[in-house]
Amino acid sequence: MFKVFIVDDEPSVIEGLKLMIPWNELDFELCGEASNGQEALSKVGELYPHLIITDIRMPGINGLELIYETQKIHSDTEFVILSGYADFSYAQEAMRHKVLDYLLKPLDRDEIITVLRKIKSKLDKKFLTRYGFSQADIKTFKSSRNLPASDQSNDFVNEEIDHVWKAVRDNFDEELTTAIKLMNYEDAMQLIDELFDIFVSRNININNACIMVNSCVYRILHVAYKRNIGIDTVLPSGVSGKWDFKSLKSYITDIVSQVVGLMLEERKRNSRSFLYEVKTYIDNNYQKEISVSLLAEMVFLEAGYLGDAFNKQFGVSISEYQHRLRIEKAIELIETTDMKLSDIASTTGYNNYNNFFSHFVRITDKKPTQYERK
């Protein structure tokens, strides 16, 4: 997913954007927020967002200054400006900084979704252009794996390639993508070895092997690109195009090695930001069923590593942090509403009242009935 950072000095605007937009459905994820330009600059340098949505008039560094400073660091970042004023001079200046859209408050949900779809399309095209993939290449990759592709033509379907892919496990693509996301070099290389063994056993010609390897390269680079990792140096320079199986395997092995290495470097550099991203997600979704594996997938970390790192940073496990949030909210509802305790338990994420009661007593050392009602 593409990463989005929101900047606005009105908390209601930030919360509204979080709630009104189906970010995941649009292939975006919220990676951070700030209430002013200075705070945003300090975070953007760590988070590498693909898109920044920013208010234009803020104390200190305003939206235009934020854009200017960010472009010095990350020239590829896209921007959308929010404003409560139809100020033509601001709009002109924003366009000079290549801002994609200028949205007036109050914000319209459908208008924002339309803008986000346009930005996603631009980011996708930027990926294709940067790494030399054409739309025809992508159709070929998808056709060879029997995946749906827009305007797909049977001209791209190669029977031999289709035959080989059928010899590979159905979840090969998913396993390769997961291995790269989790920065697991050994698992990724095991899959690559498996693919090349099939090339040999099925006597696949080098041209068709190149198409299949490039489909894997496409998936690998797309994972890294969506993490906004600078991988311009990953693809080997001076490739002759005259391939044999040894050079082809060396080609994809080098790419896997460099991408995983860069992702590990980014994780080390930004581990704290990932942890706060997880914490923010739990804060906003405490009443839902949240697994460590779900959170780990969200931030491209191994579940075990994330659990240990969260515990070290915040002093509690992810599960315990969520329970404490739920009980904190339950106490607030007990003291400020006339809701039944069973309804409060359900509202805060406990489908079983006994489970709610048990955690409540454990955390507060009191029974829910010992708190003063409204």
Side-chain angles (χ1 to χ4, degrees):
M1 293 184 183
F2 296 115
K3 298 192 289 185
V4 183
F5 191 92
I6 303 174
V7 192
D8 202 295
D9 58 354
E10 298 178 63
S12 60
V13 172
I14 293 178
E15 291 305 313
L17 283 169
K18 288 180 181 178
L19 295 172
M20 78 165 75
I21 305 302
W23 297 101
N24 289 357
E25 291 177 22
L26 298 169
D27 205 18
F28 287 96
E29 62 176 349
L30 297 176
C31 70
E33 62 188 67
S35 59
N36 59 70
Q38 188 62 54
E39 181 188 359
L41 265 181
S42 66
K43 292 182 177 179
V44 163
E46 296 180 352
L47 295 172
Y48 291 82
H50 297 89
L51 169 65
I52 294 177
I53 300 175
T54 179
D55 190 11
I56 201 162
R57 295 192 180 185
M58 297 179 291
I61 296 177
N62 66 31
L64 292 178
E65 292 169 327
L66 170 63
I67 292 168
Y68 178 71
E69 293 300 324
T70 301
Q71 287 176 334
K72 291 180 183 178
I73 309 169
H74 308 303
S75 59
D76 281 345
T77 302
E78 302 292 345
F79 299 90
V80 170
I81 276 183
L82 310 177
S83 178
Y85 309 89
D87 191 320
F88 185 64
S89 63
Y90 271 124
Q92 278 187 315
E93 183 67 20
M95 293 309 114
R96 278 196 288 271
H97 286 296
K98 299 181 181 179
V99 172
L100 284 181
D101 267 283
Y102 188 101
L103 300 176
L104 289 176
K105 301 175 183 178
L107 301 175
D108 178 82
R109 180 180 185 273
D110 292 338
E111 185 180 7
I112 298 170
I113 288 175
T114 298
V115 168
L116 289 172
R117 284 178 174 150
K118 182 168 68 174
I119 292 170
K120 182 189 180 303
S121 177
K122 181 176 181 179
L123 289 169
D124 283 337
K125 288 177 182 176
K126 190 184 291 185
F127 168 76
L128 296 177
T129 302
R130 176 175 294 176
Y131 300 112
F133 294 109
S134 68
Q135 291 290 350
D137 288 332
I138 307 310
K139 289 176 182 177
T140 302
F141 302 157
K142 290 183 175 182
S143 297
S144 73
R145 292 297 277 141
N146 290 322
L147 297 175
S150 57
D151 302 320
Q152 181 171 310
S153 167
N154 287 331
D155 292 339
F156 293 114
V157 179
N158 183 292
E159 291 183 3
E160 183 179 5
I161 295 174
D162 185 50
H163 180 64
V164 176
W165 275 129
K166 286 179 179 176
V168 181
R169 294 192 302 279
D170 288 340
N171 60 349
F172 179 89
D173 299 312
E174 182 181 344
E175 287 188 24
L176 178 61
T177 301
T178 299
I180 299 299
K181 283 181 177 180
L182 295 180
M183 295 156 279
N184 191 322
Y185 177 79
E186 290 75 17
D187 284 358
M189 285 312 306
Q190 185 176 337
L191 290 163
I192 299 302
D193 287 342
E194 179 183 330
L195 185 60
F196 275 81
D197 287 344
I198 291 174
F199 290 163
V200 173
S201 66
R202 297 297 176 109
N203 198 27
I204 299 302
N205 71 55
I206 191 65
N207 290 334
N208 287 332
C210 283
I211 291 175
M212 297 173 72
V213 166
N214 269 325
S215 73
C216 295
V217 170
Y218 166 75
R219 293 176 184 280
I220 293 165
L221 293 180
H222 212 253
V223 170
Y225 178 72
K226 285 193 172 184
R227 295 308 302 170
N228 218 357
I229 292 173
I231 56 176
D232 292 342
T233 60
V234 166
L235 292 177
S237 59
V239 175
S240 66
K242 296 180 180 179
W243 297 101
D244 56 32
F245 286 101
K246 181 179 179 180
S247 61
L248 189 61
K249 188 171 185 180
S250 177
Y251 166 73
I252 190 170
T253 299
D254 288 346
I255 290 173
V256 169
S257 177
Q258 291 201 57
V259 167
V260 170
L262 287 167
M263 292 177 74
L264 285 169
E265 285 178 17
E266 190 216 19
R267 183 178 75 177
K268 181 184 288 186
R269 186 173 62 247
N270 298 328
S271 60
R272 287 191 64 189
S273 65
F274 287 135
L275 293 175
Y276 279 96
E277 181 181 343
V278 166
K279 180 176 177 293
T280 299
Y281 181 86
I282 300 171
D283 290 344
N284 295 329
N285 298 276
Y286 66 88
Q287 74 280 16
K288 299 178 182 178
E289 290 298 322
I290 301 175
S291 65
V292 177
S293 58
L294 169 70
L295 296 171
E297 183 177 351
M298 183 179 75
V299 294
F300 301 96
L301 296 174
E302 301 96 330
Y305 175 89
L306 175 61
D308 291 342
F310 190 96
N311 203 334
K312 288 178 182 177
Q313 180 67 30
F314 301 112
V316 291
S317 69
I318 289 174
S319 175
E320 178 64 13
Y321 180 75
Q322 184 181 14
H323 282 305
R324 291 185 184 184
L325 275 179
R326 287 177 170 182
I327 299 307
E328 181 182 320
K329 182 62 177 179
I331 292 171
E332 179 185 329
L333 292 174
I334 290 171
E335 294 179 337
T336 62
T337 74
D338 58 359
M339 292 174 63
K340 296 179 180 178
L341 289 177
S342 58
D343 291 336
I344 289 175
S346 178
T347 299
T348 53
Y350 294 103
N351 295 325
N352 182 297
Y353 181 79
N354 288 335
N355 191 23
F356 164 74
F357 184 88
S358 174
H359 284 294
F360 196 104
V361 173
R362 178 180 63 80
I363 291 170
T364 68
D365 205 27
K366 291 183 180 180
K367 297 178 181 178
T369 52
Q370 290 181 270
Y371 280 82
E372 187 176 345
R373 300 305 301 261
K374 178 183 176 182

